[in-house]
Amino acid sequence: MQSAAQSWVEGANDSASGFSLANLPFGVVGGEGRGLRIGVRIGAFIVDCRALVEAGLLARLDDSIRTALTGESLNTFMSLGREAWRSARAELTRLLNAQTPDLRDHPRRKSIMLPEWGMSVRLPCTIGDYSDFYASLHHATNVGSMFRPDNPLLPNWKHMPIGYHGRSSSIVMSGTPIRRPHGQTVQSDLGPPTFGPSKLMDYELEVGALIGTGNAMGEPIHVDRALESVFGLVLLNDWSARDIQKWEYQPLGPFLAKNFASSLSGWVVSLDALEPFRVPLPARPASDPEPLEYLRGTNDVVFDVTLEVSIASAAMRSAGTPATVVTLGNFKEMYWTIAQMIAHHTSSGCNLRSGDLLASGTVSGPTPESRGCLLERTWRGTQPITLGDGAERKFLQDGDEVIMRAWCERAGVPRIGFGECRGIVTPAR
Ligand code: CA
């Protein structure tokens, strides 16, 4: 086994860190009296890209890339396309390698390498349009069987990645408090409704793809080329109010049950970093329909990413009780791939734009532990889960903190970390 490349950055070669030379996710950071700037995470440090450019250390890159890296968000850099992302990544890999003295021995190194603990990570870009899919067969089957026991999967589900258009205005950075929403809810399926705080608040564990290069209106993206347009992946908590959802979702799908907040993790992990964790899309069972031609990639993949959700109530946090893991799953369990979502989304001629966010929908696996929301974990509240301090949960209570983490690991290759996506539920006002 060839050993992984080493970095001179403290903590970067620690195999548990998830932020080795093999990862190098981009993000936007603030703090330490500096304005917003593009950063690259390595070990316990963040490379300040603007400072790197100003020190003349990215002279090998094209002007357009250097200029984009001095911005306050990733939007311009994302729009430059895969060759530009790869050039920047290669140059950062070279500069951070243990064998390269340019940055390691540079007199301004201290003002370029910022300790991670002193910085706050912000939304990586201005999010354009946000579309949310429903691409996990386990999730769709579980939820469908609760609401339609005789007919859990609708006839269209195995023929296309089902999705809806969401809101980007309420996408917030990990760590932002999430206020419990008000809405219409009913006691009986036929109403009448009352208006008040949601009583059935839930998390949804999802992976988001940030679009780097979009398509012109009327020119669909081919499924085989779809991943080329993805700048990287993030974690997403699509907070959901199940009682509001139940009353409003027919006939046009989710609306206010989903639009009050979605939380995003800040470090954007590139598909190049995920290369060792690509898994060929498993063959469908013979009883399933073949996808139509435009959804059939010649070399389509899923990604082997472990996904974890834990909950710490306010009482647990003040008592120092560790958060309780409530979901442990894997992104490779998805039925529809990211490439298929992009190909389907654009197949009508709809144009994706740089900065758009496509989310996978709740990632659920075949086992109870791998179900990606409380609706499924507690089976609509009929099987409460027990937290570390003995308290039971059917749905989220005020003060609960939901913490999502993701990582890729396999013997012999460096671990890839996604960092965290956190949020505390605060009382309705
Ligand atoms: Ca969702």
Side-chain angles (χ1 to χ4, degrees):
M1 180 67 63
Q2 197 184 351
S3 62
Q6 301 285 296
S7 171
W8 50 263
V9 179
E10 193 184 322
N13 305 316
D14 172 359
S15 60
S17 92
F19 294 109
S20 72
L21 207 49
N23 191 351
L24 302 183
F26 280 93
V28 167
V29 295
E32 296 288 299
R34 301 180 185 215
L36 294 184
R37 55 206 44 230
I38 293 171
V40 173
R41 176 82 188 264
I42 178 158
F45 288 84
I46 295 164
V47 184
D48 179 333
C49 288
R50 188 187 305 166
L52 199 60
V53 169
E54 285 167 359
L57 286 163
L58 291 177
R60 296 183 183 194
L61 294 179
D62 286 353
D63 262 352
S64 59
I65 303 175
R66 271 204 306 274
T67 305
L69 288 176
T70 60
E72 294 193 343
S73 88
L74 281 164
N75 291 85
T76 305
F77 180 58
M78 289 166 66
S79 71
L80 295 180
R82 190 167 68 160
E83 288 319 305
W85 313 331
R86 285 184 164 170
S87 310
R89 180 177 163 77
E91 199 47 13
L92 282 156
T93 303
R94 187 185 72 79
L95 287 169
L96 296 165
N97 190 292
Q99 308 303 319
T100 313
D102 308 30
L103 173 56
R104 185 190 67 202
D105 301 339
H106 197 279
R108 279 150 77 175
R109 169 176 148 182
K110 271 211 161 67
S111 66
I112 296 170
M113 302 297 293
L114 311 173
E116 183 262 335
W117 51 263
M119 307 300 292
S120 69
V121 185
R122 309 295 176 86
L123 280 179
C125 62
T126 302
I127 310 283
D129 283 316
Y130 162 44
S131 301
D132 194 21
F133 286 87
Y134 190 54
S136 157
L137 177 62
H138 302 291
H139 175 67
T141 306
N142 287 338
V143 173
S145 65
M146 284 176 221
F147 292 97
R148 297 176 301 273
D150 306 331
N151 185 22
L153 269 195
L154 294 172
N156 55 12
W157 200 91
K158 285 186 174 175
H159 292 283
M160 61 180 167
I162 299 292
Y164 70 96
H165 290 118
R167 290 290 301 177
S168 57
S169 62
S170 52
I171 293 177
V172 295
M173 183 55 202
S174 168
T176 306
I178 305 299
R179 188 170 298 283
R180 181 179 296 274
H182 283 79
Q184 284 197 19
T185 61
V186 290
Q187 294 291 327
S188 113
D189 286 352
L190 298 175
T194 55
F195 185 80
S198 165
K199 294 187 179 71
L200 306 182
M201 211 172 145
D202 202 354
Y203 64 83
E204 286 193 338
L205 168 64
E206 306 198 15
V207 174
L210 282 170
I211 300 299
T213 45
N215 57 305
M217 198 170 161
E219 293 178 21
I221 298 176
H222 191 275
V223 64
D224 281 337
R225 314 250 354 224
L227 290 183
E228 293 171 22
S229 62
V230 175
F231 178 68
L233 304 186
V234 290
L235 275 170
L236 183 134
N237 183 347
D238 186 30
W239 302 93
S240 298
R242 299 304 183 192
D243 42 0
I244 299 172
Q245 184 177 356
K246 181 180 176 229
W247 173 236
E248 76 173 6
Y249 88 102
Q250 287 178 317
L252 276 184
F255 190 41
L256 307 188
K258 306 277 189 177
N259 76 357
F260 57 96
S262 302
S263 304
L264 214 65
S265 62
W267 295 113
V268 188
V269 177
S270 70
L271 299 193
D272 287 332
L274 295 175
E275 187 68 43
F277 302 96
R278 287 172 178 237
V279 179
L281 181 61
R284 289 186 171 190
S287 53
D288 282 6
E290 270 290 298
L292 293 173
E293 202 274 332
Y294 78 100
L295 292 171
R296 217 180 299 151
T298 54
N299 201 14
D300 205 356
V301 293
V302 287
F303 293 91
D304 179 3
V305 184
T306 302
L307 302 166
E308 179 196 87
V309 183
S310 52
I311 296 177
S313 66
M316 289 166 72
R317 291 196 304 283
S318 53
T321 308
T324 305
V325 174
V326 292
T327 295
L328 190 61
N330 195 299
F331 191 43
K332 71 182 175 190
E333 304 285 356
M334 299 306 278
Y335 190 88
W336 294 105
T337 67
I338 295 171
Q340 287 170 324
M341 293 177 212
I342 292 170
H344 184 61
H345 202 305
T346 61
S347 63
S348 64
C350 174
N351 46 326
L352 292 177
R353 293 181 293 195
S354 189
D356 284 357
L357 175 67
L358 268 51
S360 62
T362 305
V363 183
S364 291
T367 62
E369 298 72 34
S370 60
R371 293 172 184 159
C373 61
L374 285 175
L375 178 69
E376 291 171 83
R377 281 298 277 124
T378 70
W379 210 257
R380 220 175 170 177
T382 59
Q383 299 162 25
I385 53 172
T386 306
L387 300 180
D389 65 350
E392 285 194 340
R393 282 295 179 278
K394 297 173 178 172
F395 290 93
L396 296 170
Q397 302 290 312
D398 290 345
D400 284 354
E401 182 170 28
V402 178
I403 306 143
M404 298 183 170
R405 295 192 181 92
W407 62 89
C408 306
E409 63 186 354
R410 198 177 67 233
V413 289
R415 180 183 162 107
I416 300 290
F418 280 70
E420 295 179 339
C421 180
R422 290 175 173 261
I424 296 178
V425 178
T426 61
R429 190 157 49 189

